């Protein structure tokens, strides 16, 4: 079957500070355009979502890869997941340090092992065996993450306040073959306990992809997302006949009323319909479908421009 390819990306739900808005918008747009480029050339959904997320991991505006927040000890520990809707294959890593792109490692876990999730030291050994270069942990730490960490250590600080801008990055796609995929990557919560793993690395919470219904990637308060298994819940609603938008809103609303958790999601269904929805103040998102780019950050905000035009302004440096 020849589907029209679609990609949707998010750069995290929460509060996006004014001075970071432009960078977040530019970052999700760049990732969506790159992922769409992969799909347009006949590439697979799994390649497209990995590529889109890799770009955002490398962008210091987002809490994933370089730019990740720090744990209580001042270190970066990252989680990532990728899933292929064709056969429900998935790979994930949790609490990984000193690598640039956890999403690449998650993909290798999926393809080169019989397992689905490797953590911490074991993930590190696996990365070594796969020839993934190790980088100094400092390389992943931005000035902003360090500042934020210090502030949270002050006796009268309230880390909860800061955890409102929870950048996780993610992507979902459907390719011309009708296969769907999802990918999600994060640095987690600022000043989290050592060894804390959130929703991102957990199948069905941080993401889920199934050709029979669609794909979704989530962002927001990890513990809340895990309690309701948010990604799988959205697909369940779509299996009951809801549109991506209604399914997303219904699940987010349930998470809010049941456990008081806020978050955001991106969704694509097997027909190529998409949604980007959030219960937080903001979520940076972008999508490309039918050669049109759509993107936004605030509720109700949606800019649209032709892909050619967007690619041209990309080349001129946005």
């Amino acid at each position: 079957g020849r589907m029209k390819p679609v990609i949707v990306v998010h750069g995290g739900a929460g509060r996006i500070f004014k001075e970071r808005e432009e960078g977040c918008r530019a970052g999700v747009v760049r990732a969506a355009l790159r992922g769409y480029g992969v799909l347009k050339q006949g590439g697979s959904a799994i390649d497209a979502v990995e590529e889109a997320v890799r770009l955002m991991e490398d962008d210091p505006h987002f809490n994933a890869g370089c730019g990740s927040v720090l744990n209580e000890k001042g270190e970066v520990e990252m989680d990532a997941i990728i899933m292929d809707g064709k056969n429900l294959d998935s790979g994930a890593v949790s609490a990984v340090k000193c690598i640039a792109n956890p999403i690449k490692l998650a993909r290798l876990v999926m393809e080169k092992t019989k397992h689905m999730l490797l953590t911490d030291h074991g993930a590190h050994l696996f990365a070594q065996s796969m020839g993934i270069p190790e980088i100094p942990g400092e390389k992943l730490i931005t000035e902003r993450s360090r500042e934020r960490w210090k502030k949270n250590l002050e006796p009268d600080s309230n880390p909860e306040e800061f955890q409102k801008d929870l950048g996780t990055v993610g992507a979902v796609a459907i390719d011309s073959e009708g296969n769907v995929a999802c990918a999600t990557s994060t640095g987690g919560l600022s000043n989290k306990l050592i060894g804390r793993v959130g929703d991102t690395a957990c199948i069905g919470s941080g993401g889920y992809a199934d050709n029979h219904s669609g794909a979704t990637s989530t962002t927001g308060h990890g513990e809340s997302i895990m309690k309701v298994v948010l990604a799988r819940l959205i697909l369940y609603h779509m299996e009951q006949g809801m549109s991506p938008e209604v399914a997303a809103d219904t699940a987010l609303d349930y998470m809010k009323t049941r456990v008081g958790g806020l978050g955001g999601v991106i969704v694509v269904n097997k027909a190529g319909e998409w949604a980007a929805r959030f219960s937080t103040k903001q979520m940076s998102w972008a999508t490309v479908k039918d050669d049109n780019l759509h993107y936004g950050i605030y509720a109700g905000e949606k800019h649209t421009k032709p892909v050619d035009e967007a690619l041209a302004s990309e080349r001129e440096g946005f």
Side-chain angles (χ1 to χ4, degrees):
R2 303 305 290 166
M3 278 295 300
K4 280 186 175 161
V6 182
I7 184 150
V8 194
V9 305
H10 70 74
R15 186 180 54 183
I16 296 160
F17 294 102
K18 266 282 181 268
E19 75 276 4
R20 305 177 58 73
E21 246 177 54
E22 267 328 289
C24 287
R25 222 178 247 123
V28 287
V29 165
R30 193 176 301 123
L33 290 170
R34 178 72 69 89
Y36 192 64
V38 171
L39 296 170
K40 274 302 253 197
Q41 285 154 19
S44 65
I46 202 94
D47 285 344
V49 295
E50 181 189 7
E51 183 60 14
V53 165
R54 188 185 64 76
L55 234 60
M56 291 186 286
E57 285 177 339
D58 291 344
D59 185 332
H61 282 95
F62 303 111
N63 174 17
C66 176
S68 287
V69 298
L70 312 187
N71 66 12
E72 55 175 356
K73 228 175 81 180
E75 297 174 334
V76 165
E77 285 186 319
M78 302 166 290
D79 305 334
I81 194 168
I82 195 163
M83 186 168 184
D84 187 342
K86 192 167 35 199
N87 46 19
L88 306 186
D89 276 354
S90 179
V93 292
S94 66
V96 295
K97 303 179 188 73
C98 303
I99 61 164
N101 298 110
I103 201 65
K104 284 168 95 161
L105 191 56
R107 172 97 186 246
L108 289 168
V109 170
M110 175 172 85
E111 291 181 348
K112 306 287 186 201
T113 77
K114 291 190 170 71
H115 306 311
M116 280 167 73
L117 172 59
L118 292 181
T119 193
D120 197 358
H121 183 58
H124 172 74
L125 294 175
F126 175 67
Q128 277 181 328
S129 74
M130 288 286 123
I132 295 215
E134 202 175 314
I135 61 167
E138 281 65 65
K139 270 223 152 81
L140 298 170
I141 298 178
T142 57
E143 200 36 56
R144 177 170 179 267
S145 294
R146 198 182 294 285
E147 282 306 299
R148 149 92 75 64
W149 173 71
K150 282 205 194 102
K151 263 210 177 77
N152 285 345
L153 290 178
E154 292 165 10
D156 57 350
S157 86
N158 175 11
E160 303 297 304
E161 220 359 77
F162 280 99
Q163 285 161 7
K164 287 202 171 65
D165 59 332
L166 304 160
T168 294
V169 304
V172 295
I174 188 165
D175 59 30
S176 56
E177 304 289 304
N179 292 313
V180 300
C182 70
T184 313
S185 181
T186 190
L189 287 181
S190 189
N191 296 64
K192 61 189 179 179
L193 294 183
I194 291 162
R196 179 265 187 184
V197 176
D199 64 295
T200 301
C202 303
I203 188 170
S205 292
Y208 202 82
D210 181 351
N211 281 6
H212 295 164
S213 45
T216 181
S217 167
T218 67
T219 167
H221 185 246
E223 281 71 14
S224 299
I225 291 170
M226 291 158 96
K227 287 174 187 176
V228 301
V229 197
L230 186 62
R232 191 65 191 82
L233 181 60
I234 291 165
L235 291 192
Y236 165 77
H237 287 319
M238 294 201 301
E239 285 155 9
Q240 305 301 303
M242 287 185 192
S243 69
E245 189 160 303
V246 175
D249 286 348
T250 304
L252 284 168
D253 193 50
Y254 176 71
M255 183 167 83
K256 191 173 172 179
T257 52
R258 188 71 178 85
V259 297
L262 301 179
V265 299
I266 50 172
V267 191
V268 64
N269 71 7
K270 64 180 180 186
E273 300 167 319
W274 62 275
R277 309 293 292 171
F278 47 100
S279 52
T280 51
K281 274 214 168 58
Q282 290 144 296
M283 179 179 81
S284 53
W285 63 272
T287 185
V288 185
K289 182 181 180 173
D290 291 331
D291 291 320
N292 275 309
L293 164 75
H294 311 278
Y295 60 96
I297 286 186
Y298 293 93
E301 176 193 359
K302 181 174 163 185
H303 305 280
T304 301
K305 57 167 103 162
V307 162
D308 298 344
E309 196 186 302
L311 284 169
S313 54
E314 265 302 285
R315 283 189 283 273
E316 291 149 25
F318 216 74

